[in-house]
Amino acid sequence: MNFDFSDDQKLLRDQARKFLFDKCDRKSVRTILDDDQLHYHKELWSQISEMGWTGTAIPEEYGGLGLGMLELCVIAEELGRSLAPTPFSSSIYLFAEFIKNYGSEDQKKKFLPLIASGEKIGTFALSETNGTPKPSNVKTEYSSEKINGYKSPVSDGETADYLIIAANSDNKGNRNSLSLYIIDLHQDGVSKTSLETIDPTRPACSIKFENVKAELLGEQGMAWDMTENIFNRAAVLYSFEQVGGAQVSLDEAKKYSMERFAFGRQIGSFQALKHKMADMYVKIELARSNAYYGAWALSTDSNELPVAAAGARVSASDAFNYAAKENIQIHGGVGFTWDYDCHLFYRRSKLLSLNIGSTRQWKENLISNLEKRNIV
Amino acid sequence: MDFNDSQQEAAFRKEARDFLEANAEKRSIISDKPNDKSPQIAVAGAPETVKGGKEAAQEALERAKVWQKKKAEAGFAAILWPKEFGGYGGSPIQQVIYSQEEHDYLVPSGYFEIGIGMLGPTMMVWGKDEDKKRYLPKMITGEEIWCQLFSEPSAGSDLAGIKMKAEKDGDEWVLNGQKVWTSGAHFADYGMIVARSDPSALKHKGLTYFYLDMKTPGIEVRPIKQISGTSNFNEVFFNDVRIPDSQRLGGEGEGWKVALTTLMNERLAVGDPPGLDFDQIFEATKELEVEDGLAIKNSEVRQKMADWYVQSRGLQYTKFRSITALSKGQTPGPELSISKLVTASKMQDVSAYALELMDSSGMVHHDQNPVLKNLFQNGYFFSAAMRIAGGTDEVLRNIIAERVLGLPQDERADKKVPFNELPSGKN
């Protein structure tokens, strides 16, 4: 049995950790948090693009490094640890994966090199209303070669050059009416409205489309199936980000509890706090193991992916949400100040657990995929 | 990343599987054995509960001994032990592979694990050569069963608070006091015991460790009836029990150090508990009806099931991470320290929720209960014990906090005070 990352992958992890420790400290995260006009850390983005991280899992023929999904998992964990304020997840886990898996040869040639180099940023949008996205909630339409409609929230929409959306390609209003379209956001008829998010280091906007040009991605009427598959792939990567964030939340809670004295002793010596941190550890280890399994399924194109991805996602959301909120609790009063970093993780944990579908939704996915697997 | 065995591992697995296939019966997800009252969980050696009183218990013990002998002859009874004592001389990964395979079969468990897993290894470290030669081989074959006499009424989580008196009288020691929670004392032939030889020394310094014949005059074993209605544990009373000094393991006052050898092996000895997990409740929800149809179609049920699934598989994959380290000849990280903590509470939650789903028929705890053979009723009781036996949830959290995370120890009132001056709440 070899249920672990390789030595090369661990080396990549060490390098990524060291790099982000230097270049993505809390101060740089906060420059994005504090400034409404900044949507991501441009300098960091160009540095990680230069190192090829954006092209990690993109084949060499399309300008990527041609490494595998496991390497991308390794990088995801480090981005999660450092709270990197970049559109990496939107552009790489979603946009690039959609193109890579469903794009025509021409589309791959056109988009992937630009995404791999970090020169252009892509994203994906499904949601138009509050609540769980479902086919009948998609009102955006494609007809006479033009898109009309609205998407919100669109993660990294402000910075994105390209957007993939689901839109109705016929009038039936069901799952098979939906197709995916690629939109160049630099055109007339695209209007963006900024939205404030619970984690401003991961911004979103709403976008209105009026007679906007678009090209079909993949097979007509298959938007929902393709989206489910790409969300499964992305869920594994998100889970690594979440595990990374959860681990740092625990590390910082622990550090503070050993420095802070009350009643004449380190607060970390009180069992009420120790047990909280032990529970964080338990959830994180379960999440890490579930994420590993997701990584295995992702990297081997296993039939297990839908179950493995949902398991990883549910477990990681639970771990990060718990670790982030209890990190504030362990810090006491300073934990809910702007100056201390606890809220950065608290914000990020909730945002990540909502970004490609809520925990509730992923629990439902998990059980329905288990049912399907049992029938097969 | 892969889940494949190496060539040697695959060969060993085949050897184990062939042996099991030829000698044991496969386990189904929900066992339909009529005697299967408990969800067959080996917590620190609690044997499968057997209904039908003493005779049935005796028969079950005999069956277990027959099985153990076969297993020993095939070499699988003590895979980690050196060959000179009858072991397989194998590696931890081989032990894991055998356990994985055995997990799929209905075989007796709970009689020999404490001896082979904990007490034998203690004797190997601290015993004299002639003791090792005399006792260890019979421990493996199941001819002689051993029990561990550590806990006392006032020494549970605080194990070093032992009060059992050991007074030296010439070449002998005289033991007086009481042990409790002793698994298998009612059928054990021998035991290992920690006692207080010097009450005026510091708590951890005044202890001495012995082994003894359970038939020694003055020992009285009384089973403890548990909330499950069964008795896996005992109280053991010592009344002027005289044992020779030659049965001491380690020096006088070194008992704690010897006991730590035993306890270090505990994690390896406590088996992988099969029987009541996500898979069982998943099956149950496909049969049970709630107000809007089958339970599995109810969204609240599905949300809860997802939580248990990720706990269950998360543990399984955590084990895979540890096995990977073993397979590479490395020491696994501390990740498996979460195992019992998660398992016990999960079992309690799953059982209690399954009873809820059964609605009023969940009240029925009887062999005729048509629903899933009482699995969840048994689990409801068993899991309460499991959260305590072999380290309570609270002790396990302390261990994770202090040894894994490196958090400071709690302030302690018992570190610098002679044992007989410590407050005990009883003086």
Side-chain angles (χ1 to χ4, degrees), chain B residues 233-284:
Chain B
F233 300 102
N234 301 277
E235 298 177 290
V236 185
F237 295 88
F238 287 73
N239 196 358
D240 286 332
V241 174
R242 301 186 80 89
I243 55 172
D245 186 52
S246 60
Q247 290 178 196
R248 177 168 42 80
L249 295 178
E252 283 177 40
E254 267 195 325
W256 185 246
K257 220 170 138 187
V258 185
L260 285 180
T261 308
T262 310
L263 296 171
M264 294 283 268
N265 284 287
E266 185 161 31
R267 204 175 63 172
L268 293 168
V270 174
D272 191 13
L276 209 173
D277 198 346
F278 173 83
D279 300 273
Q280 283 70 31
I281 194 166
F282 192 45
E283 287 305 310

Side-chain angles (χ1 to χ4, degrees), chain B residues 209-230:
Chain B
Y209 196 112
F210 309 92
Y211 71 86
L212 48 77
D213 187 330
M214 289 298 284
K215 292 183 289 295
T216 313
I219 298 180
E220 189 197 343
V221 177
R222 291 186 208 157
I224 299 172
K225 187 171 178 180
Q226 296 146 226
I227 56 178
S228 57
T230 60

